[in-house]
Amino acid sequence: GENVEQHPSTLSVQEGDSAVIKCTYSDSASNYFPWYKQELGKGPQLIIDIRSNVGEKKDQRIAVTLNKTAKHFSLHITETQPEDSAVYFCAAIPYTGNQFYFGTGTSLTVIP
Amino acid sequence: DTEVTQTPKHLVMGMTNKKSLKCEQHMGHRAMYWYKQKAKKPPELMFVYSYEKLSINESVPSRFSPECPNSSLLNLHLHALQPEDSALYLCASSQVPGARGEQFFGPGTRLTVL
């Protein structure tokens, strides 16, 4: 099955700086890569996703890049704000299956 | 309405109790999911319902029993749980199963088994 690795496990940045979280996957059949943000006491919320026919996608301060050859994808958050503090999960989904394969999570802290 | 709702928010139960978790969505989604999430870990898939039929059961113990009464509702019946079953139980839904659509998660039920 698919194996998704996520780094770093914890990340602290100063407000206004950028944050980058990286994930690698193993199954070349994976073709959908969402990123979820989970705040304390809440369920995961989709913040951005990318499909394998696209190399980069942006939504305001958030961007995701995908390198299919290297089998890795990254989340970029610019101009970080304290409300960006949360746990972020990446996931990879093979087109052949129903299951989301989640990364291990990154706890992001934005220091005011 | 782009929301998945779950009740109750918190549940404390003894090992001999029987309780149920409820999940509801009105987005017309035909796939619904139960996940278990331990602290500081990613969600672990338990069950998938596709068009109201159970399509995936990830080797979950029989003390967890899912039910999908209709396309909008998903229940998880709990019986004779163990303290290690304490976790956040998340429900999710998607337009269709698999990679063709995002999964929308509910806020979860925080379960404590004494």
Side-chain angles (χ1 to χ4, degrees):
Chain A
E2 175 64 277
N3 180 45
V4 179
E5 295 188 359
Q6 184 172 346
H7 299 280
S9 57
T10 59
L11 179 60
S12 291
V13 299
Q14 291 289 335
E15 183 177 357
D17 288 350
S18 295
V20 180
I21 303 170
K22 298 183 179 182
C23 288
T24 60
Y25 62 99
S26 60
D27 190 347
S28 56
S30 289
N31 70 340
Y32 176 56
F33 306 93
W35 284 90
Y36 284 85
K37 174 185 180 182
Q38 187 171 23
E39 296 176 86
L40 199 62
K42 297 185 178 181
Q45 181 182 16
L46 180 78
I47 55 171
I48 197 166
D49 57 10
I50 192 167
R51 297 186 187 273
S52 58
N53 58 345
V54 175
E56 183 175 1
K57 185 176 177 181
K58 281 186 181 179
D59 183 2
Q60 299 183 335
R61 297 186 296 109
I62 294 173
V64 57
T65 58
L66 171 64
N67 183 326
K68 282 193 302 182
T69 304
K71 295 196 187 73
H72 67 71
F73 56 111
S74 299
L75 177 71
H76 304 254
I77 306 174
T78 59
E79 300 172 21
T80 53
Q81 301 167 2
E83 50 265 38
D84 294 328
S85 297
V87 178
Y88 291 81
F89 292 102
C90 64
I93 298 88
Y95 70 89
T96 52
N98 287 334
Q99 188 165 346
F100 275 38
Y101 293 87
F102 284 95
T104 47
T106 297
S107 178
L108 173 65
T109 301
V110 179
I111 304 164
Chain B
D1 185 357
T2 58
E3 195 179 20
V4 175
T5 59
Q6 290 187 244
T7 55
K9 283 192 172 182
H10 301 275
L11 179 62
V12 179
M13 59 186 291
M15 289 190 284
T16 58
N17 292 157
K18 282 186 181 181
K19 297 286 185 183
S20 296
L21 309 185
K22 296 186 185 302
C23 173
E24 192 165 2
Q25 57 88 14
H26 294 288
M27 295 178 278
H29 290 173
R30 301 311 299 274
M32 296 186 76
Y33 310 77
W34 279 116
Y35 287 87
K36 173 183 178 180
Q37 187 179 29
K38 289 283 207 179
K40 304 190 179 190
K41 298 288 187 183
E44 297 173 39
L45 184 66
M46 300 174 72
F47 302 104
V48 180
Y49 271 84
S50 176
Y51 299 96
E52 295 93 70
K53 289 189 178 357
L54 184 64
S55 63
I56 292 180
N57 175 342
E58 291 287 342
S59 303
V60 179
S62 59
R63 57 186 184 267
F64 295 92
S65 175
E67 179 196 19
C68 190
N70 60 55
S71 60
S72 300
L73 292 174
L74 187 66
N75 298 322
L76 185 63
H77 303 296
L78 314 173
H79 174 55
L81 295 192
Q82 304 296 310
E84 59 264 30
D85 296 322
S86 298
L88 181 69
Y89 288 84
L90 294 162
C91 173
S93 70
S94 66
Q95 194 168 20
V96 291
R100 286 165 285 178
E102 69 171 278
Q103 288 190 14
F104 291 82
F105 283 84
T109 293
R110 175 72 60 188
L111 174 67
T112 302
V113 181
L114 301 176

